Amino acid sequence: MTMPSTTWMGLVLKFLATTDSMNFLKKTAANSSPIVIFGASVIGKIILDSLEILNVQPACFCDNDIQKQRDLFNGYEVIPFEKLCADYSDAFIIIAAGRYFDEIQRQLLNAGFENIFCDIDVLSCINFKKTEYSKLQKITWHLAKSGKLSEILDLPGDSLHIPRLNVVLTSRCTLRCEHCSSLIPHYKKQYDFDTLSIIASLDKIFTCTNLIYHVELLGGELFLDKDFPRIAEHLINTGKILHIDVITNGTIVPPDSMLEILKHDNVGVVIDDYGELSKKTETLSNSLQRLGIDFRVNKHWAWADLGGFDSRNLSEKQLAKMFARCNFNSCTELLDGKLHRCPRSSHGTETGLVPEYSEDFIDINKFSPNNKSLKEKLRSFFYDKKFIRACNHCNGNTSDSLTLTPAEQQTQR
Ligand SMILES: C[S@@+](CC[C@H](N)C(=O)[O-])C[C@H]1O[C@@H](n2cnc3c(N)ncnc32)[C@H](O)[C@@H]1O
Ligand code: SF4
Ligand code: SF4
């Protein structure tokens, strides 16, 4: 089995060097065992699309989440683990499960499954030169993450690719989640960031970037910012972004006239469903469906406890270890013209809870448009950083810190 793509920063390219990348297809062709995708999720859908390109059909999906077992997923049954063990003990399992990969792999090995694969094992079987781009388009974002995109697109050698960019529109929000990773309840005064200034910073970044794989537009609650359609339109028109997600907490349904711009192949709305708190999830889903806008409802099972802001007195070696382990380490975020590596760094600096470490961020405001040095500065920021000093004020988002109930509201103080 090859490295799953979820550990992609720096590590993922390793898979290109593996010699047994055709193993998955060869093994399944030589064996009539059924194929089961473990994880009825975004990655699960990408695996399904990849298998379709390979003309391989899975038997079903498996998922540990009882809620997901209730409905069909893209037309396939979602079975519980017990049924997988009882009815599919000889199956080829493809794990499609982001940060839960290790946990599921352990679960499968303990139950005696031998043929376990990951997303990259499947992607590696696709002959990109011989496959029409229209078929590959659905999985482009995943291909980009796994370093395979240059095999199908003609990109210049000195290209700058940005894997992920969060664009923060507002610190206003309809909820006050005690452990919000964006520290929204810590803002003394909440405000929308200036739209023209956001657009100016984005343009400076786009000028020296060839491709951005994944952009998230978010707040706070971005639907409170009436300018969100304008920024979304600007991003769509760059033509340089593979996928844009608009993140909302399911408490607001904007009018159709504001949502319409989101009807685009590369755009999706993610509704974070915090149960009772996300009162408008259903109404919003209905609006998006009616308008033909791609969306998904995202349930959260645990949030990370990033801890307080005091210094942990970590050495540079310890900071690097913390940074490497943290799931937020590539959630690069543009906030008020400054580009940070994670929300703790951006919102922490903005609220004054984390000291302003100048080496932790790039102040895009200080660069004139077309400034040639920005490209190399960005390249080094995205690809060479071993840690940020903000990690000294944080416990990180790791499997150990995922201990909190999501979206618990602050009690009045
Ligand atoms: C800060 S929110 C902003 C968007 C919107 N207000 C929402 O909650 O969906 C962005 C994402 O961070 C996640 N998040 C917030 N606090 C978190 C934490 N402590 N651990 C893990 N994820 C967290 C939220 O679930 C959401 O998906
Ligand atoms: S996590 Fe909660 S407080 Fe933070 S931005 Fe989202 S809804 Fe608002
Ligand atoms: S450990 Fe570092 S990278 Fe992770 S959230 Fe904290 S400050 Fe950000």
Side-chain angles (χ1 to χ4, degrees):
M1 182 177 48
T2 348
M3 189 80 67
S5 70
T6 43
T7 53
W8 54 282
M9 273 307 263
L11 289 170
V12 80
L13 290 177
K14 279 188 189 166
F15 89 88
L16 290 172
T18 59
T19 48
D20 61 347
S21 61
M22 292 306 283
N23 247 354
F24 169 74
L25 209 51
K26 272 194 198 150
K27 279 194 174 177
T28 49
N31 196 310
S32 58
S33 298
I35 294 170
V36 178
I37 304 175
F38 203 125
S41 61
V42 190
I43 305 179
K45 172 71 168 73
I46 288 166
I47 302 234
L48 187 64
D49 292 335
S50 306
L51 290 178
E52 194 184 310
I53 294 167
L54 294 167
N55 283 321
V56 175
Q57 209 184 359
C60 60
F61 278 78
C62 174
D63 206 293
N64 288 324
D65 179 350
I66 299 168
Q67 310 244 26
K68 291 188 177 166
Q69 295 158 12
R70 289 191 191 135
D71 302 314
L72 292 181
F73 183 75
N74 289 278
Y76 287 85
E77 188 190 1
V78 182
I79 59 168
F81 186 63
E82 297 70 33
K83 188 165 159 76
L84 181 74
C85 297
D87 298 353
Y88 295 96
S89 57
D90 61 337
F92 281 66
I93 316 281
I94 308 163
I95 304 179
R99 72 165 78 110
Y100 300 110
F101 185 90
D102 292 347
E103 214 174 288
I104 293 170
Q105 187 185 24
R106 233 174 291 127
Q107 188 181 7
L108 289 165
L109 289 171
N110 288 342
F113 286 93
E114 286 173 359
N115 290 306
I116 306 172
F117 298 88
C118 70
D119 46 3
I120 300 297
D121 291 319
V122 179
L123 283 183
S124 302
C125 298
I126 298 174
N127 185 338
F128 299 110
K129 301 262 184 302
K130 292 197 174 152
T131 311
E132 282 168 43
Y133 185 63
S134 61
K135 285 195 181 168
L136 294 168
Q137 215 165 5
K138 283 195 261 181
I139 58 167
T140 352
W141 176 65
H142 211 60
L143 289 172
K145 276 182 34 166
S146 56
K148 287 239 160 208
L149 201 65
S150 50
E151 293 189 20
I152 46 172
L153 294 180
D154 211 3
L155 294 163
D158 70 338
S159 294
L160 175 63
H161 294 197
I162 292 185
R164 163 83 178 264
L165 179 64
N166 289 359
V167 183
V168 183
L169 270 50
T170 181
S171 59
R172 291 197 291 142
C173 193
T174 46
L175 299 178
R176 290 186 73 80
C177 305
E178 174 83 40
H179 299 284
C180 170
S181 54
S182 296
L183 307 174
I184 295 302
H186 291 276
Y187 276 80
K188 289 198 175 73
K189 194 167 178 288
Q190 298 185 337
Y191 40 88
D192 295 340
F193 295 99
D194 181 65
T195 301
L196 288 179
S197 152
I198 293 174
I199 289 177
S201 302
L202 287 171
D203 285 349
K204 286 180 198 170
I205 295 173
F206 291 138
T207 305
C208 45
T209 306
N210 301 74
L211 202 58
I212 305 187
Y213 304 161
H214 183 197
V215 168
E216 284 194 359
L217 272 186
L218 76 175
E221 174 46 48
L222 93 161
F223 285 157
L224 286 173
D225 183 347
K226 298 286 172 277
D227 265 357
F228 85 81
R230 192 168 165 202
I231 296 174
E233 184 174 28
H234 192 79
L235 288 168
I236 292 166
N237 288 342
T238 64
K240 288 190 175 183
I241 304 169
L242 291 180
H243 189 79
I244 302 170
D245 273 330
V246 171
I247 318 291
T248 174
N249 61 18
T251 58
I252 295 180
V253 185
D256 287 3
S257 57
M258 291 181 86
L259 289 174
E260 271 156 0
I261 186 68
L262 305 179
K263 184 173 187 291
H264 192 277
D265 278 352
N266 300 359
V267 181
V269 175
V270 177
I271 309 175
D272 279 320
D273 183 0
Y274 303 134
E276 296 271 283
L277 297 166
S278 304
K279 292 184 191 337
K280 303 278 173 65
T281 300
E282 201 179 331
T283 330
L284 178 59
S285 303
N286 291 341
S287 288
L288 295 169
Q289 193 145 30
R290 181 170 40 75
L291 293 167
I293 297 166
D294 186 33
F295 74 97
R296 69 190 157 89
V297 176
N298 195 14
K299 290 244 184 241
H300 290 255
W301 306 107
W303 267 10
D305 184 356
L306 302 181
F309 300 93
D310 291 346
S311 164
R312 273 71 168 162
N313 294 316
L314 300 183
S315 65
E316 294 201 346
K317 202 169 161 195
Q318 288 169 317
L319 286 171
K321 199 169 161 200
M322 165 78 88
F323 186 68
R325 286 186 70 215
C326 179
N327 289 319
F328 281 152
N329 69 8
S330 342
C331 294
T332 309
E333 192 147 289
L334 180 71
L335 188 152
D336 203 20
K338 299 183 186 77
L339 193 65
H340 288 259
R341 280 299 296 258
C342 76
R344 181 79 159 187
S345 172
S346 57
H347 292 278
T349 309
E350 182 73 7
T351 52
L353 291 163
V354 171
E356 184 172 305
Y357 295 112
S358 59
E359 64 269 49
D360 276 7
F361 62 90
I362 303 179
D363 190 348
I364 306 290
N365 299 314
K366 290 195 174 145
F367 288 80
S368 56
N370 298 315
N371 183 319
K372 297 258 181 311
S373 66
L374 181 58
K375 183 170 184 174
E376 289 320 308
K377 195 113 180 127
L378 287 170
R379 196 190 297 284
S380 157
F381 184 73
F382 279 99
Y383 294 100
D384 300 339
K385 269 220 172 298
K386 301 279 182 289
F387 62 82
I388 51 174
R389 301 224 166 255
C391 300
N392 195 30
H393 305 268
C394 185
N395 291 346
N397 177 349
T398 66
S399 49
D400 305 333
S401 68
L402 285 168
T403 55
L404 300 172
T405 305
E408 270 186 340
Q409 295 301 286
Q410 274 194 335
T411 45
Q412 293 298 327
R413 290 176 183 170

